[in-house]
Amino acid sequence: MATMCFEKANDAYREKWARAAGLVSTADSVMPKNLELGQASLQKAAEIYESIGMHEKAASCYIKLNDYKRAGMWTP
C-alpha cells in the first residue's frame, strides 16, 4: 500500500524503499516454506536498497542470503 501511495506522489526514493521493505517482509514470511521465492525476494530487495544508497539494509539482505562477500562491500 505504501509503495502505491509513494508512486502516486511521484516520490521515487520512498517508493523504492517501501518496495524493498515489502520484499524483505515477504522473504521473511515465505522462507520456511519456499526457499527459492524467499531468496529471490531478498536478492531483489538488496538490489533496490543498493540503488537508493541504503547500503546497510542491502548488506542485511546479503547476510540473510549467506552472501558474506557482497555483504562486506556495504558494511562499515
Side-chain angles (χ1 to χ4, degrees):
M1 187 64 89
T3 304
M4 185 176 66
C5 291
F6 291 129
E7 181 181 8
K8 287 185 179 189
N10 291 321
D11 188 339
Y13 177 83
R14 287 188 176 97
E15 176 191 349
K16 289 179 182 179
W17 187 357
R19 186 176 316 277
L23 287 166
V24 171
S25 178
T26 297
D28 288 343
S29 66
V30 303
M31 205 72 121
K33 299 171 196 138
N34 188 335
L35 185 61
E36 280 186 26
L37 179 60
Q39 289 177 331
S41 295
L42 282 173
Q43 181 66 41
K44 184 64 179 167
E47 292 168 4
I48 293 170
Y49 282 137
E50 283 182 38
S51 76
I52 60 174
M54 297 186 83
H55 303 298
E56 288 183 21
K57 292 223 181 252
S60 176
C61 292
Y62 288 128
I63 289 168
K64 289 180 182 181
L65 289 166
N66 297 322
D67 188 347
Y68 302 109
K69 183 177 180 181
R70 294 217 40 202
M73 293 172 41
W74 303 116
T75 54

